[in-house]
Amino acid sequence: MRHLDNTSGHDGLTRFVSWWAAAVFRTPRRVLFLVGLLMMGSIALATGLKIDTDSSRMLSEDLDFQAQTRAIAEAFPATKQTILVLVRSRHRDAADAAVAQLTAKLTGHDGEIARVFAPSEDPFLVAHGLLYDDLDTLDRRLFRLSQASNVLADLRVDQSLDGFLAALDGAVDLAAGADIDPKALAPFLAETAAVLAAERDGRPRPFDWQAAFSDGETGAPVLRTIGVEPVLDFTRLSPAKPAISLVRDAVA
């Protein structure tokens, strides 16, 4: 069994303390000057140290994939380090309303969020979104809008429930008298029936105007996206934490 002896370490510490005390006694000014230099150097070193939590800088910028990443970021700056908010609903109008509210809540926080982009709220896409449909889909939508033009015109005059039912009744009579295919009003009638049935069962739901003029497809949820570009602070352990907190608060 080996016995560990720590006396040599204690002796070394004792000799150092003795030497330091003697040096202070002999040349106090020189020791004070040396201590001052050490303190100023420590302060300069402490203030010069910075934290960079950008993980993309951990590897060399000369690597091929780093160069490709920079090229993509320059070509599509809105997709770089963006927080993506996904809104899902059973109804298109409800999803768009939620996106509008979230966009309004997230806008104006310049210190934490640099940019908020919601395609369903973008003025250009709202005004010209139909141009992105293929021709067949566009033709079907325009056809349904034309078939329901009388309903829309009547609703501009009277937007009450009585006015809505009267306009719908008039559209059905007009379609029957003009020998129009009743399928043209089928999505509109189906949406009306769904709203009335939900109200009767005590679970009110909004009237989905977009579904009323669509192909009548149901079952698949409606998805909307909001791109939130955070102001990143790489001196923090979580550079995007302020922006993420704002998004969570807005969702809540």
Side-chain angles (χ1 to χ4, degrees), residues 2 4 7 45 50 57 60 78 80 86 95 116 118 124 129 141 143 150 184 197 206 211 223 249 252:
R2 185 178 178 184
L4 298 178
T7 57
L45 182 62
K50 294 182 179 180
R57 299 181 184 179
S60 172
K80 181 182 179 181
L86 182 65
V116 179
F124 177 84
R141 289 189 176 183
F143 175 75
N150 291 327
L223 300 179
D249 291 343

Side-chain angles (χ1 to χ4, degrees), residues 28-43:
R29 294 183 179 179
R30 185 177 298 176
V31 172
L32 184 61
F33 178 73
L34 179 61
V35 171
L37 286 179
L38 291 174
M39 290 180 63
M40 288 188 293
S42 299
I43 294 173

Side-chain angles (χ1 to χ4, degrees), residues 112-181:
E112 297 83 11
I113 296 176
R115 182 171 180 263
V116 179
F117 176 68
S120 62
E121 284 289 297
D122 183 73
F124 177 84
L125 294 178
V126 170
H128 305 92
L130 290 176
L131 298 178
Y132 290 88
D133 279 338
D134 59 78
L135 291 179
D136 291 339
T137 302
L138 183 61
D139 284 342
R140 289 196 299 270
R141 289 189 176 183
L142 293 178
F143 175 75
R144 287 190 174 86
L145 284 173
S146 65
Q147 295 295 322
S149 58
N150 291 327
V151 177
L152 297 177
D154 291 341
L155 287 176
R156 288 178 61 88
V157 178
D158 185 357
Q159 298 179 13
S160 65
L161 177 60
D162 290 339
F164 174 83
L165 295 176
L168 188 60
D169 185 60
V172 173
D173 290 341
L174 181 63
D179 196 22
I180 298 176
D181 187 354

